[in-house]
């Protein structure tokens, strides 16, 4: 099997085809990773700050430092399970390497903005603000991957925009005790900025993934991205005290003790890798818009998690904002349903036309045989 050109699919490598027998399995695994990782990482990131953790660079670093875990889905399918003939990193071109590094650095900045927002905002507020990434994803998808705008898309954008504006104007009183209004709005805009960068990441990766047909290469690209993001976070940590600060924080600052501190850090490392692994897989197997929709759906679960676990306030402003989010999300899902139904109807019509054409061709061939037969006698 030739693997020198990643743009040339083979039967085994064309794993994003819905006809591939592993497609639904990969889709299910990636959504589970996204679900578990999104909810747990959101709660654990807030847990770190609730119990006196203070380093935003530590919170940034844990989001990408678990990249060695990606070696499992990269190497095991070929060397242990023998379910792939493609060797890891074969066909990994310099162009893909450079793109992966650049996108990884962008993710590193995104991780820092998320950490900054989480250090100031309640989980429920942060999650609702991050729902704005679906707006940005839709708009950037129009520009980058030529996504078509429909009424349902536009309705979704308007509703989610109103939701975020309403939340910003009406929930400043929800800030943690002792936090100034200025810092609260810094956290607000950092979180929105993180949503914008992540929304840019989704369509950019969809465009890159159009040249890739093997899930293993997706994980390889993700590994390079996480290495680049980790390098950026490590430089930031070194400039802000470095890893000795983590030791001091675990012994003197974290109010649950050193063991709980390191357990929080290590579990957070794992959960964030599940988030990025699941996101990359969803974009590769479906589209950037579908990935954004899945993230938005899970943000509603994060809001409830913040209310249940940390007792975040969930007053009238957040209720209305959540209703608008759900309304916008349902509008988009309904639009996707209409699109899929229209595509299915077109396939059925084309299939019927093909059958009719085949029958007509067969009838013409029979007529030719009848006309030619007497001349052959």
């Amino acid at each position: 099997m030739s693997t020198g050109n990643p743009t040339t699919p083979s039967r085994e490598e064309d794993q994003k085809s819905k006809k591939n027998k592993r497609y639904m399995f990969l889709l299910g695994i990636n959504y589970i990773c996204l679900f578990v990782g999104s909810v747990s990482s959101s709660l654990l990131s807030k847990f770190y700050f609730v119990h006196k953790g203070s380093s935003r660079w530590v919170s940034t670093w844990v989001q990408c430092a678990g990249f060695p875990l990606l070696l499992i889905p990269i190497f095991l399918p070929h060397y242990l399970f023998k379910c792939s003939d493609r060797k890891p990193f074969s066909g990994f071109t310099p162009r893909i390497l450079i793109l992966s590094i650049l996108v990884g650095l962008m993710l590193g900045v995104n991780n820092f903005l998320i950490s900054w927002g989480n250090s100031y905002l309640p989980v429920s507020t942060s999650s609702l603000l991050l729902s704005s990434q679906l707006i940005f994803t839709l708009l950037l998808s129009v520009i980058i991957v030529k996504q078509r705008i429909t009424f349902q898309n536009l309705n979704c954008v308007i509703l989610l925009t109103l939701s975020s504006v309403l939340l910003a104007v009406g929930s400043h009183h929800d800030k943690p005790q002792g936090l100034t209004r200025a810092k609260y709005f810094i956290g607000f805009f950092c979180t929105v900025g993180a949503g914008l960068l992540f929304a840019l990441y989704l369509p950019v990766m969809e465009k890159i993934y159009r040249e890739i047909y093997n899930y293993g290469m997706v994980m390889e690209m993700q590994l390079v991205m996480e290495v680049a993001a980790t390098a950026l976070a490590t430089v930031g940590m070194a400039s802000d005290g470095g890893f000795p600060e983590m030791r001091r924080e675990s012994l003197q600052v974290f109010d649950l003790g050193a063991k709980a501190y390191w357990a929080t850090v290590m579990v957070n490392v794992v959960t964030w890798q599940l988030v990025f692994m699941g996101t990359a897989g969803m974009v590769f197997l479906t589209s950037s818009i579908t990935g954004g929709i899945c993230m938005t759906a899970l943000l509603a679960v994060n809001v409830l998690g913040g209310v249940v676990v940390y007792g975040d306030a969930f007053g009238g402003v957040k209720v209305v904002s959540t209703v608008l989010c759900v309304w916008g999300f349902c509008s988009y899902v309904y639009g996707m349903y209409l699109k899929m139904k229209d595509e299915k109807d077109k396939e059925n019509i084309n299939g019927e036309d093909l059958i009719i054409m085949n029958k007509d061709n067969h009838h013409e061939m029979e007529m030719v045989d009848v006309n030619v037969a007497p001349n052959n006698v």
Side-chain angles (χ1 to χ4, degrees), residues 171-184:
S171 63
H172 63 272
H173 62 277
D174 191 36
K175 61 182 183 292
Q177 188 175 6
L179 182 67
T180 65
R181 185 170 183 175
K183 289 184 177 180
Y184 180 85

Side-chain angles (χ1 to χ4, degrees), residues 172-333:
H172 63 272
H173 62 277
D174 191 36
K175 61 182 183 292
Q177 188 175 6
L179 182 67
T180 65
R181 185 170 183 175
K183 289 184 177 180
Y184 180 85
F185 278 102
I186 289 174
F188 172 85
F189 288 113
C190 283
T191 304
V192 173
L196 175 59
L197 280 179
F198 195 74
L200 176 62
Y201 160 81
L202 292 176
V204 165
M205 292 314 299
E206 179 183 354
K207 191 165 186 176
I208 296 174
Y209 288 157
R210 287 178 177 178
E211 302 179 6
I212 296 173
Y213 295 85
N214 187 276
Y215 181 75
M217 186 170 284
V218 173
M219 292 296 102
E220 292 159 10
M221 291 184 63
Q222 192 64 34
L223 176 67
V224 175
M225 292 177 201
E226 297 299 328
V227 170
T230 303
L232 181 64
T234 302
V235 170
M237 285 187 66
S239 66
D240 195 35
F243 294 97
E245 175 64 20
M246 294 180 69
R247 185 174 184 276
R248 186 195 68 80
E249 192 175 60
S250 67
L251 295 174
Q252 302 176 16
V253 179
F254 201 71
D255 60 11
L256 295 181
K259 291 183 178 179
Y261 176 86
W262 291 110
T264 301
V265 169
M266 296 310 296
V267 175
N268 219 356
V269 165
V270 175
T271 56
W272 273 108
Q273 282 309 303
L274 291 178
V275 172
F276 289 119
M277 176 182 172
T279 302
M282 291 296 293
V283 174
F284 169 71
L285 295 168
T286 57
S287 67
S288 57
I289 288 294
T290 302
I293 289 173
C294 292
M295 292 295 293
T296 303
L298 291 177
L299 286 173
V301 180
N302 291 345
V303 171
L304 296 177
V307 173
V308 173
V309 177
Y310 298 115
D312 290 347
F314 198 70
V317 171
K318 285 186 180 177
V319 170
V320 175
S321 182
T322 302
V323 170
L324 290 175
C325 281
V326 173
W327 186 3
F329 173 71
C330 291
S331 173
Y332 187 83
V333 171

